[in-house]
Amino acid sequence: MILAIESSCDDTSVALIDSQGFVCALSSRNQDVKHSPFGGIVPEVASRQHTEVLMPLLNQVLNESNTELKNLTGIAVTARPGLIGSLLVGVVAAKTLSLALEIPLVGVNHIEGHLLAPLLKDETHQPTVGFGFPYMALAVSGGHTHLFEVLGVGRYRLIGHTVDDAAGEAFDKFAKLLGLGFPGGHLIDKFSNGGDTQKYAFPRAKMEADDLDFSFSGLKSSAARLLNGWSQEKIDSERRDLCASFQEAIVEVLIEKMLRAHKKLKLKNWTVTGGVSANSRLRARVFEVAEELNLTISLPPLRYCTDNAAMIGLAGLYRLDSGNLGPQPVTASSRAMPEDWVKA
Ligand code: KG4
Ligand code: ZN
């Protein structure tokens, strides 16, 4: 039984994974209410919250699965990338437990966790039948927008990434401009329902042929220019069309880049993970494209899409199984290691 801990940003999460990669227990707590008064994540607040919540979550997963600390055979912890203060809480807790219980510890790259999330299984969820390596993975959240060719465990070819803001960050910034609070991605999604996707012309960046990278920072500037001088009443009355048009600009680019990658690499299996994969328009478009191109799609349920320890446990399990524990000792780093993957 592997214990997994995730604390890289503003979600604290603990999971127990058995030797077959089956999620026996998962408990996650987000900190949205703590950060929303500040309109964004405050690193100091995030670290403090992790210290308060981590041990209760650990007790919860042990109790839920009738597991005792002495039954644990290994520990996986998110070591990079993320907010350094947040990462340190998880890494120090994991190191302490590993020393006390005399069991191996492995540091996991958070993005690797997102890439493997479509393979997670539990009592109520199985990966899509026929889905497996190699696959195309879009990891898209408030912190990252990365497109990968996933060839196997530990074999991740980065084929595109954002050169500035993440897609979730763009959703959140736009929600703030509309006065919807933080984080606002899910509200943009909600208000887009029934709105006119073409009413406002938001830019689609990096659309030159062959470019698989993303850029979303121009979207916010364009929205700020558009809304300059608008009253809150006017914003509210146009909210539906504004949200639908903005959402369409992001979803269109995400889908277009996956289509381009598909043309090049002919990957029949696709997954989308990270918080933005909850977006209903993105999900609908992925399934439309899948139908046209006869693809197999595995979109993890929300508990495995947003930041969670189960995906870290699965990545850790493969490492522990193979004996390849990566660079030792495990250290927290705000950045990914160069050896984590190769850019195509
Ligand atoms: O993966 P996640 O929980 O945390 C990280 O950022 O790593 O993702 C959170 C992000 C936020 O930017 C949030 O606004 C966005 O995912 N998000 C959405 C939706 N639900 C969450 N964006 C668009 N549509 C949604 N339905
Ligand atoms: Zn994430």
Side-chain angles (χ1 to χ4, degrees):
M1 187 76 91
I2 308 276
L3 168 70
I5 298 176
E6 155 67 37
S7 71
S8 64
C9 190
D10 62 336
D11 293 278
T12 323
S13 182
V14 178
L16 292 173
I17 312 285
D18 76 10
S19 58
Q20 304 305 306
F22 188 89
V23 184
C24 300
L26 169 67
S27 195
S28 305
R29 187 86 54 86
N30 84 39
Q31 309 174 352
D32 289 351
V33 289
K34 300 283 174 190
H35 298 288
S36 65
F38 302 100
I41 294 166
V42 182
E44 169 79 15
V45 173
S47 318
R48 282 170 187 263
Q49 279 302 302
H50 290 310
T51 57
E52 279 182 29
V53 171
L54 188 57
M55 287 302 140
L57 291 186
L58 171 61
N59 286 328
Q60 194 178 330
V61 294
L62 291 172
N63 288 339
E64 261 175 31
S65 56
N66 282 322
T67 305
E68 293 182 36
L69 284 174
K70 65 171 195 259
N71 304 130
L72 301 177
T73 53
I75 302 181
V77 63
T78 305
R80 59 191 183 277
L83 299 171
I84 192 69
S86 288
L87 286 163
L88 278 168
V89 177
V91 166
V92 170
K95 277 189 176 180
T96 309
L97 285 165
S98 151
L99 276 171
L101 302 171
E102 297 182 358
I103 53 176
L105 168 68
V106 62
V108 171
N109 180 306
H110 176 86
I111 307 219
E112 177 179 19
H114 278 305
L115 298 183
L116 298 178
L119 305 175
L120 284 165
K121 50 184 185 276
D122 61 32
E123 247 172 25
T124 58
H125 167 76
Q126 291 285 324
T128 309
V129 175
F131 181 87
F133 302 120
Y135 55 85
M136 174 154 54
L138 176 68
V140 65
S141 74
H144 20 261
T145 304
H146 287 67
L147 192 57
F148 279 90
E149 179 183 22
V150 180
L151 298 159
V153 175
R155 297 173 58 212
Y156 314 112
R157 211 160 67 92
L158 180 62
I159 54 177
H161 63 89
T162 181
V163 296
D164 41 54
D165 290 355
E169 206 176 342
F171 273 115
D172 291 338
K173 285 178 173 174
F174 187 60
K176 250 186 180 177
L177 281 173
L178 299 187
L180 297 176
F182 172 87
H186 66 291
L187 293 174
I188 308 274
D189 187 357
K190 183 177 142 196
F191 291 124
S192 294
N193 195 4
D196 181 351
T197 57
Q198 307 303 317
K199 180 151 179 190
Y200 296 101
F202 290 110
R204 276 75 165 151
K206 300 191 78 60
M207 295 305 265
E208 306 81 26
D210 265 12
D211 193 336
L212 291 179
D213 287 335
F214 306 88
S215 166
F216 294 111
S217 66
L219 260 175
K220 187 210 159 190
S221 325
S222 147
R225 275 195 304 276
L226 172 72
L227 299 177
N228 188 22
W230 285 32
S231 65
Q232 189 63 45
E233 287 71 35
K234 183 168 179 200
I235 291 177
D236 291 348
S237 69
E238 284 299 296
R239 189 164 60 193
R240 215 164 268 288
D241 295 339
L242 284 168
C243 287
S245 300
F246 190 86
Q247 174 175 273
E248 196 65 13
I250 294 184
V251 170
E252 206 176 291
V253 173
L254 295 174
I255 293 287
E256 174 61 25
K257 299 289 171 150
M258 285 195 284
L259 284 170
R260 283 183 192 179
H262 176 73
K263 249 189 187 168
K264 272 193 184 172
L265 303 169
K266 304 275 181 286
L267 295 166
K268 282 288 197 187
N269 298 320
W270 288 19
T271 187
V272 184
T273 71
V276 177
S277 67
N279 184 269
S280 56
R281 179 69 181 146
L282 178 58
R283 287 187 165 239
R285 285 291 295 130
V286 166
F287 283 113
E288 273 171 29
V289 168
E291 181 121 3
E292 280 162 31
L293 300 177
N294 198 19
L295 307 171
T296 304
I297 304 290
S298 184
L299 295 188
L302 205 55
R303 61 186 176 281
Y304 298 146
C305 276
T306 53
D307 288 351
N308 69 88
M311 66 186 194
I312 303 304
L314 188 62
L317 172 71
Y318 291 136
R319 289 281 168 75
L320 290 161
D321 269 359
S322 70
N324 170 17
L325 298 186
Q328 292 286 352
V330 173
T331 46
S333 165
S334 58
R335 309 187 54 163
M337 302 288 183
E339 67 271 21
D340 282 339
W341 46 72
V342 280
K343 173 110 162 73

